[in-house]
Amino acid sequence: MRDGSDAGQWTDRRPFADEAGIRADLAGGLTIDANTRFKYSNHGFGLLGLAIATITGEPCVDWIAREVVAAAGLQHTTPDMPLVGGVPAAQAAPFARGHSAKWPLGQRLVLPGDNPTRALDPATGFVSTASDLARFFAQLSPTSKRSVLSVASRREMTRRQWREPHASVERWYGLGSMSGTLGGPAGGGWDWFGHIGNFQGTLTRTAVVPAQDLSVSVLTNAADGPSQVWVDGCLHILRAFERHGAPSRHTAAWGGRWWTLSGAIDLLPMGGDKVMVANPALANPLLDATELAINPRTRSGLDQGRIALAGGYGSHGEPVRLVRDAAGRATEFWLAGARYLPLAKVERELRRKYAAP
């Protein structure tokens, strides 16, 4: 079983299962034959927690807090919501409350998110921060110099043991870690491992790229938060910088966000004389991105360039330029014949033309 005979604990319709509840759910035997395909199970992690408690002779959360959390140097992580003065710490300290999805109500509602997870704590009950998650997952990399696990154990944990079935995205599962390869024209070749997590009103994902000594963690406090998409977007952007290099002194001034009626674009200066035109609305902002070549030969040329690469429906080969005021601030960006402005100017323009009196 993945979540038991009544999975309402995940939608806050019932308390989380205790040990007796998990044992009762698992007493019916297997739902599929063992070792035939990958199938994630929260009850499986709950069973692992019971095994830890039996072997160590202490509550699973206490053992994990000492042997994993403290040993990894995590300062802002705790198994399950701690109590302060008899009440959940979320009521006594800063805490990012979860939110429902926007629909079906057309608005988001704040969810408490401080209910105890009891016997399912090993599957879901950890309270943490993005920095601690990035630090912890980085230590699971086989290349990390510090870890609570041996190099051999980390290799086995992140090894691709089971392919995710019935999925359009190529992903694998190891021992408690998922993995894959960053795809697409802006980022092929980066192998990653990590995991996702969700609780009532939250959705998170962390990914590690061992070859780059890189760990990225995105936490959202909404049930439909796009943490998975945003991590991939971050990796695509970082991969592009790894390929093209950091901005030069000639292109650094071209960075920024510009707007028209159609929305926003981001200019991303990179190595040499290259500036990428990113679309922040896309899961991969650099997918089929237009590339600009900036003219560094003269001072005035630093604000001018051309479209060095664009799709068949773009303005390939045409000029681009920045317009500056007397103080040297960029006030306009021209992409061929399209004039882009700062957000405040476009807001005024749109309100003046289209807003109701």
Side-chain angles (χ1 to χ4, degrees), residues 204-241:
T204 75
R205 182 185 170 201
T206 305
V208 178
V209 183
Q212 301 295 325
D213 286 330
L214 178 67
S215 182
V216 176
S217 186
V218 172
L219 278 62
T220 64
N221 59 330
D224 55 356
S227 57
Q228 296 195 56
V229 173
W230 284 348
V231 166
D232 277 346
C234 290
L235 294 180
H236 279 299
I237 293 170
L238 293 167
R239 173 60 172 151
F241 278 104

Side-chain angles (χ1 to χ4, degrees), residues 252-313:
W254 279 74
R257 175 162 291 182
W258 298 90
W259 295 79
T260 66
L261 170 69
S262 301
I265 60 170
D266 288 332
L267 298 185
L268 293 183
M270 295 195 176
D273 62 354
K274 188 187 300 293
V275 174
M276 308 290 283
V277 181
N279 183 348
L282 297 180
N284 173 7
L286 293 175
L287 181 67
D288 299 332
T290 294
E291 297 184 13
L292 312 180
I294 309 307
N295 179 5
R297 288 188 292 272
T298 65
R299 184 172 181 82
S300 61
L302 293 178
D303 289 337
Q304 300 176 21
R306 65 181 180 87
I307 299 175
L309 181 62
Y313 294 96

Side-chain angles (χ1 to χ4, degrees), residues 16 19 36 49 53 60 70 92 123 131 137 148-149 153 159-160 162 165 171-172 195 296 302 304-305 319 325 328:
F16 275 85
E19 178 178 345
T36 56
C60 172
S131 58
F137 273 88
V148 297
L149 296 176
S153 291
R159 183 170 64 86
R160 297 180 178 183
W162 289 97
R171 290 198 305 197
W172 299 76
H195 217 288
L302 293 178
Q304 300 176 21
D325 61 17

Side-chain angles (χ1 to χ4, degrees), residues 128-169:
S128 190
T129 62
S131 58
D132 257 16
L133 277 176
R135 181 176 297 109
F136 174 69
F137 273 88
Q139 293 181 36
L140 298 182
S141 171
T143 63
S144 176
K145 292 181 173 57
R146 173 188 176 183
S147 179
V148 297
L149 296 176
S150 68
V151 173
S153 291
R154 283 176 270 155
R155 286 175 178 160
E156 187 67 5
M157 182 177 185
T158 58
R159 183 170 64 86
R160 297 180 178 183
Q161 305 196 38
W162 289 97
R163 186 180 184 275
E164 186 173 334
H166 193 58
S168 59
V169 178

Side-chain angles (χ1 to χ4, degrees), residues 1-3 10 22 40-47 119-120 122-124:
M1 281 186 164
R2 187 190 191 280
D3 293 314
W10 300 103
I22 289 182
Y40 178 87
S41 172
N42 282 313
H43 267 42
F45 279 98
L47 183 62
L120 283 171
T124 190

